[in-house]
Amino acid sequence: MRSSRRHFMLGAGGCAACMSGLASARVLPTDLDPLIDVGYEPVDADERGMWQSMEQIEETIQASPQLLNSPQLQGYTAGIIERLLGRETPDLRLYLIRSALFNASMFPTGMMIVNTGLMARVRNEAQLAAVLGHEAGHYYRKHSIERYRSLRNKTAAMAWVGAAANVGAGAYAGGANGSNWIYAASAINTAVTMSVFQMSRAQEEEADAYGISLMSHSGYSPDAASQIWKQLIEERKASAEERDKRYSDRSRSVLSTHPPTEDRMRDLADTAAFLAKRGDQRVTDGRAEWLAAVAPHRAMLLDEQIKLNDPGASLYLVESLAQDGWTGLLRYNEGEIYRLRAEAGDHEKAAAAYAAATTLPDAPSEAWRAHGYAQLKAGKVEDGRHALNHYLAMNPEAKDAGVVRYTLAQ
Amino acid sequence: MRVKPVLAILLLSLTGCVAPQQQLTSVGFVPPGGNPRIIVMRPDIAVDLLTAGGLLERREDWTNTARDNVLASLQSLQARRGGATRVAITRASAGGEDATVIELNKLHAVVGQSVLMHKFSAQASLPTKDGVFDWTLGELAVQYGEQSGYDYALFLYARDSFSSRGRVALQAVGYLGCMVGVCAVAPGGMQTAFASLVDLKTGELVWFNYLQSPEGDIRTQDGADVLVWTLLDSMSAKT
């Protein structure tokens, strides 16, 4: 069934020692052909049924108030998919969904969903391309139906093992070892259950390899794929540390549908190195293009993240973005993180961040409001009133303008 | 394929685990007087194959046939009843904005399942729902009423499933186990359906009925007629 998947050690043959860094990259990025073309229509009853269910889900998504209504970002992202595939892509339908969680998903019908939580985290166009290419891999390698059929076979096998064990146990119940039948059946079925998850992880590896291959062909720096996971691990460590917990990778489990994050990062980095050695073309990471495309949405993306109440992750994100220099928007959001965390000393940190925001030219009006109230609280009445007036001047129609005017009238 | 009736009776006598068909109607329902404008929404239908391992596998051909059958049953019922009732053959013919109709249908499916679970199942009944029937589709339904001009909307949701050959064979082995004393027969295909009448002025469910049965087959016109009549009879009888 998965004949196209080869272990890299076999592919590398006698040269395994000289490319030892590649030992862990399990799926070669070079031998994965798409299994379906534009205009593909399923024929088999199980696949047609799956498509019908998925089309109903797509109808609800099309009508969902959670859709990010941005033709500009939609067009930009669709453009990346076309560049990856080197053609127009009427077979893939992209939906940008307002959800702060880091995720994207692919449906067997060609519906691709990208969360705003992913947009908040990628640092350049190549990183976004890595995720889009991975999702395209699930589609073109027909992973959904492959996984369903495997699950159908395995659940049937488990049901048969269970039924046979019951008959066996019943027939032998007169003897001493009737329950041994049940134990044996349970052991077999546990192994089958594990293999369901194992297959899911193998598909993820294949999709990773497919995506990185598309990136390499379309001139995106393949390093970007492993960078995403590096950033995510750093973020999760920051989040755990903030909560006085030890970072543990939940995908490091036999019941995980995805491979361990660090393994994926290492595999992708290995594959990128392999492609770089082979590569003869110039690659780009499309950083400037990404920053321009995401700029109009940055305030919304940060706002979504901060409302998750995950101060470690939020600070990591804001501070990472600030490596290019602090902006008024970033300083304001830094202040918001401290204000919401509200631990000892956070009031002062928030006030300092708001104050810093107002010295920068792009400070949002909310920064002036927050700065104003922070100053009033600190007893600096003149500065506070000045900032609140600035807020009203910037945003006279604000929903809370009445409240702010009331404060000023006190 | 469905378990043969003889086999089902045998199964019932052996295990006692097959639920008979049930039917309950919300208390105190008075059918709308006058000549209200009623829309029968395009029914939410799916028919699945029950695989040997117990997965429900959607079958497009069965689903489409069943939906056509249920629509035909609804139309013949409407023709008998008369009145200002329209059956929405397609989603677009329900009037109102497409997004509203999609969301409303989805909402009805979820609310109906909650009613089934918390009002009509002994395992998950809620004390707060004891003696009251106060489910609603809320503002979305009112919004739809304003868009479409209807007074009431009738929703119908049905799921039907049929055992694969593998499932039937597995059940046979299950019976064998029963005979030697370890009895665990995998359940077969099942029909679950419910219908609600929603007041589009308030959004409230003013009437609700459901059925759950290991019998019946909405892939046939007769089976669809039985489903529709069984579900809707208690409402139409009083008008």
Side-chain angles (χ1 to χ4, degrees), chain A residues 84 106 129-139 203-212 214 229 258 264:
Chain A
L84 280 169
M106 187 76 229
V131 176
L132 300 173
H134 170 98
E135 299 304 334
H138 283 311
Y139 175 70
Q203 284 189 337
E204 294 302 326
E205 284 167 11
E206 188 174 277
D208 275 348
Y210 198 96
I212 207 167
L214 290 180
W229 297 111
H258 286 64
R264 285 182 87 176

Side-chain angles (χ1 to χ4, degrees), chain B residues 100-180:
Chain B
T100 312
V101 176
I102 291 173
E103 274 202 79
L104 202 54
N105 277 314
K106 195 95 181 154
L107 184 61
H108 170 257
V110 175
V111 171
Q113 279 157 5
S114 303
V115 175
L116 267 190
M117 180 183 292
H118 298 306
K119 184 76 186 170
F120 296 120
S121 94
Q123 291 82 19
S125 66
L126 291 173
T128 50
K129 297 295 182 189
D130 198 16
V132 293
F133 192 89
D134 57 355
W135 274 274
T136 175
L137 298 190
E139 282 175 23
L140 194 66
V142 177
Q143 202 181 311
Y144 166 68
E146 285 164 3
Q147 288 170 7
S148 64
Y150 289 107
D151 299 316
Y152 291 90
L154 180 72
F155 292 84
L156 193 153
Y157 170 103
R159 294 289 178 270
D160 209 349
S161 57
F162 298 89
S163 300
S164 69
R165 266 179 292 227
R167 186 73 172 180
V168 172
L170 192 72
Q171 288 173 323
V173 174
Y175 302 134
L176 203 61
C178 292
M179 288 171 194
V180 294

Side-chain angles (χ1 to χ4, degrees), chain B residues 21 24 30 40 45 64 67 77-78 95 97 99-100 103 110 120 122 129 136 142 162 164 183 211:
Chain B
Q21 182 173 307
L24 282 165
V30 181
V40 180
I45 308 281
N64 292 346
R67 192 188 300 105
L77 181 71
Q78 191 270 328
E97 286 165 24
T100 312
E103 274 202 79
V110 175
F120 296 120
K129 297 295 182 189
T136 175
V142 177
F162 298 89
S164 69
C183 197
L211 69 86

Side-chain angles (χ1 to χ4, degrees), chain B residues 38-45 64 67-76 78 85-95 101 105 144 150 154:
Chain B
I38 303 176
I39 179 77
V40 180
M41 304 297 266
R42 178 178 161 84
D44 180 348
I45 308 281
N64 292 346
R67 192 188 300 105
D68 290 346
N69 291 342
V70 170
L71 274 168
S73 307
L74 287 167
Q75 281 174 303
S76 74
Q78 191 270 328
T85 302
R86 263 199 82 220
V87 179
I89 307 292
T90 61
R91 197 174 64 226
S93 62
V101 176
N105 277 314
Y144 166 68
Y150 289 107
L154 180 72

Side-chain angles (χ1 to χ4, degrees), chain A residues 227-241:
Chain A
Q227 282 162 8
I228 296 175
W229 297 111
K230 182 169 174 283
Q231 288 157 203
L232 199 68
I233 291 170
E234 284 173 3
E235 180 189 317
R236 286 178 178 166
K237 282 183 174 161
S239 171
E241 191 177 345

Side-chain angles (χ1 to χ4, degrees), chain A residues 45-50 52-53 55-57 59-60 63-65 148 151-152 155-157 159-160 163-171 173 182, chain B residues 44-45 51-61 63-64 67 91 98-99 102-103 106 166-167 169-170 173-174 176-177 180-184:
Chain A
D46 56 356
E47 198 173 2
R48 288 198 69 84
M50 179 181 266
Q52 189 184 49
S53 318
E55 279 158 5
Q56 282 167 358
I57 294 175
E59 275 181 351
T60 18
S64 169
Y148 170 72
L151 184 68
R152 186 177 58 199
T155 50
W160 279 109
N166 282 345
V167 175
I182 309 292
Chain B
D44 180 348
I45 308 281
T51 70
L55 303 178
L56 287 174
E57 181 176 305
R58 172 73 69 88
R59 281 289 298 263
E60 184 195 35
D61 47 349
T63 301
N64 292 346
R67 192 188 300 105
R91 197 174 64 226
D98 205 36
I102 291 173
E103 274 202 79
K106 195 95 181 154
R167 186 73 172 180
L170 192 72
V173 174
L176 203 61
V180 294
V182 180
C183 197

